[in-house]
Amino acid sequence: MLERIGHMLVRKANQEEKRPVFDEAGEIPRHIAVIMDGNGRWAKMRNLPRIAGHRSGMKTVKEIVKAADGIGVKTMTMYAFSTENWKRPREEVDYLMKLPQEFLSTELEELIERNVRVRMLGNPEGLPAHTIEAMNIAEERTRHNTGLQLNFALNYGSRTELVRAFRELARQVQAGTIQPEEVDEEMIARHLYTSDLPDPDLLIRTSGEIRLSNFMLWQMAYTELWFTDVLWPDFTKEHFYQAIAEYQGRARRYGAV
Ligand code: FPP
């Protein structure tokens, strides 16, 4: 049984199921960015190697992608590997590089059935060939899908992305194809990996860390930020719905009153 309290629906069927859920008639964020943090700590708490945390985190990705698709989110961007993550131990980096393949080997058919479009955001240079190939196949096979757009930020760093854009614009100015005065926000946005995507409405970061870690700094100028102490492998669709409920309770003013 659902009881309406304010804008939220609270499930009352039995006490253990009592939880706030979002308003299905309310605004669903179009684009949700996710920093999937806490895999290492999750593993450590269980005396497992860090890669076991990432493996478990991959299962969470599956669940959250389905949940997002089920409620009509248009774009999800998952921070899977940052330009800073190369500093991790070799074994862990190797494992993280295998995850896209592993994920896609079991999920791609279902993603295709669900009309999901998969894309990679980030710098392919430096990624192992097998990682690029897995992403290329997924991108190619889902290219014409019109449902949820699922982006994996891989070898992604916001500052690197901006440097790349500014260099390209500097080249165009040098070549005389544009004037410096023509460079505006819209032109910069068009030179980012996210050129054809709306900015994220909501950022979710797990594991109690309250920072952006070089993730979509330009794009998140007006994004609502939502943090939880829950570690990514423990994050469930109920937590996801809670984030959306809280998003729906916020007033987005974009600098106005
Ligand atoms: C941060 O946790 C997590 C990562 C650097 C990797 C995230 C990747 C996944 C969840 C799997 C991705 C799945 C696919 C399909 C590509 P951490 O290791 O920094 O955790 P810690 O802060 O507790 O050490």
Side-chain angles (χ1 to χ4, degrees), residues 242-255:
Q242 191 188 341
I244 291 174
E246 290 186 28
Y247 169 84
Q248 290 179 333
R250 295 193 190 172
R252 301 184 76 192
R253 288 190 290 275
Y254 301 96

Side-chain angles (χ1 to χ4, degrees), residues 50-114:
R50 291 179 57 82
I51 60 171
H54 297 312
R55 167 174 278 274
S56 187
M58 188 173 68
K59 291 189 192 140
T60 305
V61 175
K62 294 178 189 176
E63 175 170 351
I64 299 307
V65 167
K66 276 178 204 156
D69 187 32
I71 63 169
V73 176
K74 299 277 180 263
T75 305
M76 292 289 288
T77 301
M78 321 296 286
Y79 204 5
F81 193 90
S82 77
T83 45
E84 289 72 34
N85 287 151
W86 296 108
K87 296 176 202 153
R88 295 185 175 214
R90 176 73 195 270
E91 186 203 22
E92 183 174 346
V93 169
D94 287 350
Y95 187 72
L96 286 168
M97 288 299 148
K98 282 191 199 127
L99 281 183
Q101 257 166 304
E102 201 170 319
F103 173 80
L104 292 165
S105 69
T106 60
E107 297 304 295
L108 185 56
E109 295 308 322
E110 188 179 334
L111 293 172
I112 290 169
E113 264 169 46
R114 282 174 172 268

Side-chain angles (χ1 to χ4, degrees), residues 73-77 116-117 119 147-151 197:
V73 176
K74 299 277 180 263
T75 305
M76 292 289 288
T77 301
V116 173
R117 182 171 175 200
R119 260 177 55 186
L148 172 73
Q149 165 122 19
L150 173 59
N151 304 315
L197 299 175

